[in-house]
Amino acid sequence: MNALHKRLIRSSTLGALVILALLFIPAGTLDYWQGWIYMLVTVFESAAYSIYLAKHDPALLKRRSEVGISYEKEPAQKIIILSLYVTCLVFIVLPPLDVRFGWSLVPWYISILGDMLVAFSFYVFYLVSKVNTYAAANIRVEEGQKVISTGLYAVVRHPMYFGAMFLFIGTPLALGSWWTLLLVPVFLSILIARILNEEKILARDLPGYSEYQKKVTTRLIPFIW
């Protein structure tokens, strides 16, 4: 087991414990079945995704593990990532509070649908990883990097973010909260800001990206934007 795998196991374990605390402390109880199923889905899917990368594309696994404010070179992206972290925190904490105090009632089958959306988001991440080994978690252009226009990249310019939308819509539903869905537009606005800034960098630093923009006109959502 190399250093990257050990670091990934440590960070994954710590991340799971943090999410566990953020879900069940606000819920005020361990009797929160939506939280347990959500944990099961996210832990299983993220582990499967990481194992796939470890086996088939270790370089991408390293790129995906380099996530956070310190890894972003552009000042605008540092602010965007900080905003995204705060939004993610609220996305996790608000639903168990909603369930605890009964602010909104989400039917069980809607929660299951939410879990399915979360699982689907990881499938999209997998499809992206199959064709783009440079799909890093931070904004950068590496030596030898080329424009990818196959797979989902033939449909939308940012398929990883497209998959993230299903994660952010599915999470409130999976955790049993209608009210948290009101934060989805906030997430989308942050995502749009990241995409617009990222495209400036890619057009500047990645040869052929401007031509790719003309070929694939959809940034995120087909037929919309």
Side-chain angles (χ1 to χ4, degrees), residues 37-223:
I37 295 180
Y38 180 79
M39 282 290 300
L40 180 65
V41 170
T42 53
V43 169
F44 175 81
E45 292 288 343
S46 60
Y49 179 61
S50 297
I51 291 171
Y52 168 81
L53 292 182
K55 182 177 180 180
H56 297 281
D57 197 340
L60 179 54
L61 178 62
K62 183 177 184 298
R63 293 183 179 104
R64 296 303 302 171
S65 68
E66 296 172 346
V67 58
I69 298 173
S70 62
Y71 287 101
E72 297 290 346
K73 296 181 179 179
E74 301 290 327
Q77 291 295 343
K78 291 180 182 291
I79 297 173
I80 290 170
I81 289 299
L82 177 60
S83 302
L84 188 60
Y85 279 177
V86 173
T87 303
C88 289
L89 179 63
V90 178
F91 256 88
I92 295 297
V93 172
L94 185 56
L97 288 174
D98 190 340
V99 172
R100 179 177 184 175
F101 296 107
W103 296 332
S104 62
L105 298 177
V106 176
W108 67 267
Y109 52 87
I110 296 297
S111 289
I112 299 301
L113 174 62
D115 287 310
M116 293 173 65
L117 291 175
V118 171
F120 180 73
S121 70
F122 281 92
Y123 178 64
V124 175
F125 300 156
Y126 158 74
L127 292 178
V128 173
S129 301
K130 285 186 65 177
V131 297
N132 188 8
T133 189
Y134 292 101
N138 54 77
I139 308 303
R140 66 189 187 193
V141 174
E142 301 183 45
E143 184 178 354
Q145 182 173 344
K146 297 180 180 179
V147 174
I148 304 298
S149 58
T150 58
L152 291 179
Y153 285 93
V155 182
V156 294
R157 298 205 293 257
H158 300 277
M160 190 70 80
Y161 300 145
F162 174 74
M165 290 194 305
F166 292 95
L167 177 62
F168 271 80
I169 294 173
T171 291
L173 298 178
L175 293 174
S177 174
W178 291 119
W179 284 109
T180 310
L181 286 175
L182 295 176
L183 292 175
V184 171
V186 176
F187 162 72
L188 286 176
S189 65
I190 296 172
L191 200 59
I192 289 171
R194 182 169 174 83
I195 288 173
L196 292 176
N197 181 259
E198 179 177 347
E199 291 207 321
K200 290 181 180 179
I201 299 168
L202 293 175
R204 181 192 68 196
D205 299 337
L206 183 59
Y209 192 79
S210 296
E211 290 75 13
Y212 169 67
Q213 288 177 296
K214 297 175 182 178
K215 178 182 177 182
V216 179
T217 57
T218 299
R219 292 184 177 95
L220 184 63
I221 306 174
F223 309 111

